[in-house]
Amino acid sequence: MSLDAKIEEDILNLINHLNKKEYDLVIINAKKYIERGKNFAIFYSLIGVAYFFKNQNDKAIAYYNSALNLEPNSEETYRNLGKSLRKKNRLTEAQKAFETSIELKADNPDGYFNLGLIKLDFGNYYESIKNFKQSIKYNNKFFQAYYNLGIVHDLIGNLKESKNYYIQCININNKHIKALNNLATLYINSNNNNEALKLLNKCIEIEPNYTQALTNIGVVLQDKKNFPDALFFYEKAIKIDPSFTKAIVQKLFIKRKLCDWSDEFEHSKHLKIINNSEE
């Protein structure tokens, strides 16, 4: 079935609503078309995307599958299906969806990237590295792929490679706070606190409430024996996220070192609750 000019215009309007994050409007209007007998795959696919962004992935999966019944060679729909399946932890099915998207379109940076994430989920680190590199091969500005290569190399102990990939990610996207924080952590672990502090200060310029960066600033200051300022940053992180374990543990460490037991009971009790909830 071909699309007439009016429907094409309405599809562009739906995409515009999607880009504006007006997901309910997309769902309502696309469903109206389907109810009127306009049984085009694009409407099912757009509804699926809207449900994905509303974190209603069971519904998203159903609509993607309906779209694929009408248009079985849609590489983009397979990729979107894989993303929703991964959100539901249906990893084997997600892997198959991404592999199919790559079969349909070989020069597929997003397909390889998402397949790399699946391999990372499975703990297949070397396969994930291959997939992230394939992603970069087809899009050398894909900063998320560089970031995840940094993560994988950190996990397997290739810290020099990890550092290089985080730097490449930041060179493309200098506001990627997770890459900035992870690179800072590598510097902290190699006793390069001054470089770490520069990166962490940049993190909180971008996102003042980023608890991991606030806590890492505390770690740097603690290493410099500046306990009052370290406590300030730990307490700031805990205020933002009372369950942030690293900040609580570091704060208790300093308090005990200073023989200050004022927060001992409260924080120790809270840590026990957090640990029990994770069992």
Side-chain angles (χ1 to χ4, degrees):
M1 296 174 71
S2 61
L3 301 176
D4 61 36
K6 178 64 171 66
I7 292 177
E8 286 182 352
E9 182 183 342
D10 289 342
I11 289 169
L12 290 175
N13 286 333
L14 288 173
I15 293 170
N16 189 41
H17 287 310
L18 199 61
N19 291 335
K20 291 180 179 178
K21 302 182 180 181
E22 297 169 343
Y23 305 129
D24 289 330
L25 271 176
V26 174
I27 292 165
I28 291 167
N29 291 328
K31 283 183 177 180
K32 284 180 180 177
Y33 270 105
I34 294 169
E35 289 165 2
R36 292 172 192 158
K38 305 297 184 182
N39 209 34
F40 298 113
I42 183 65
F43 294 124
Y44 291 95
S45 185
L46 287 171
I47 293 169
V49 173
Y51 276 128
F52 171 79
F53 284 115
K54 284 168 65 70
N55 201 30
Q56 297 181 29
N57 283 289
D58 286 325
K59 291 181 179 179
I61 291 164
Y63 276 95
Y64 290 142
N65 281 323
S66 294
L68 288 169
N69 285 336
L70 295 167
E71 192 176 322
N73 292 323
S74 172
E75 175 275 326
E76 183 178 5
T77 305
Y78 273 109
R79 268 191 293 122
N80 288 336
L81 173 62
K83 291 174 186 179
S84 282
L85 288 165
R86 181 170 179 259
K87 286 283 187 180
K88 298 300 293 184
N89 205 36
R90 292 164 61 177
L91 299 182
T92 301
E93 294 169 85
Q95 177 176 323
K96 178 61 178 174
F98 293 130
E99 287 172 343
T100 302
S101 79
I102 292 166
E103 288 171 9
L104 291 167
K105 183 174 182 284
D107 56 337
N108 191 337
D110 194 48
Y112 278 110
F113 171 73
N114 281 285
L115 186 57
L117 292 179
I118 294 291
K119 298 295 186 179
L120 185 54
D121 290 334
F122 280 130
N124 193 338
Y125 299 139
Y126 293 97
E127 284 297 315
S128 72
I129 288 171
K130 289 179 184 177
N131 285 298
F132 292 139
K133 285 185 174 180
Q134 280 293 104
S135 178
I136 292 166
K137 175 183 175 181
Y138 295 116
N139 179 1
N140 64 7
K141 299 296 184 183
F142 204 146
F143 62 86
Q144 298 96 327
Y146 290 105
Y147 170 68
N148 278 279
L149 280 166
I151 289 175
V152 180
H153 280 287
D154 194 354
L155 288 169
I156 62 178
N158 291 341
L159 302 186
K160 183 178 179 181
E161 286 292 306
S162 178
K163 176 183 171 183
N164 289 337
Y165 281 117
Y166 287 138
I167 290 171
Q168 288 182 78
C169 170
I170 294 163
N171 285 341
I172 299 167
N173 179 2
N174 63 7
K175 293 186 177 181
H176 197 298
I177 58 174
K178 290 184 178 180
L180 289 164
N181 180 71
N182 288 5
L183 180 58
T185 301
L186 292 178
Y187 281 132
I188 291 170
N189 293 338
S190 61
N191 298 313
N192 193 343
N193 285 332
N194 291 333
E195 285 300 314
L197 201 53
K198 290 177 189 176
L199 295 165
L200 295 166
N201 283 329
K202 188 170 183 180
C203 279
I204 59 173
E205 284 175 16
I206 299 165
E207 176 47 70
N209 292 332
Y210 187 33
T211 54
Q212 293 190 34
L214 291 168
T215 302
N216 274 335
I217 291 174
V219 170
V220 171
L221 294 169
Q222 180 178 329
D223 195 52
K224 292 174 178 286
K225 309 300 182 186
N226 185 345
F227 297 144
D229 285 348
L231 284 171
F232 170 81
F233 281 98
Y234 294 147
E235 286 165 355
K236 191 171 182 178
I238 293 166
K239 186 175 181 181
I240 295 164
D241 181 0
S243 65
F244 193 53
T245 304
K246 183 177 179 180
I248 297 170
V249 169
Q250 294 298 132
K251 178 184 174 181
L252 282 176
F253 178 83
I254 292 179
K255 289 275 194 173
R256 290 165 181 168
K257 195 174 185 70
L258 298 174
C259 297
D260 179 349
W261 311 103
S262 56
D263 296 321
E264 181 73 20
F265 177 77
E266 178 188 351
H267 285 318
S268 294
K269 181 181 178 182
H270 198 69
L271 281 175
K272 187 175 181 180
I273 292 170
I274 294 168
N275 290 335
N276 287 340
S277 70
E278 293 174 350
E279 289 178 357

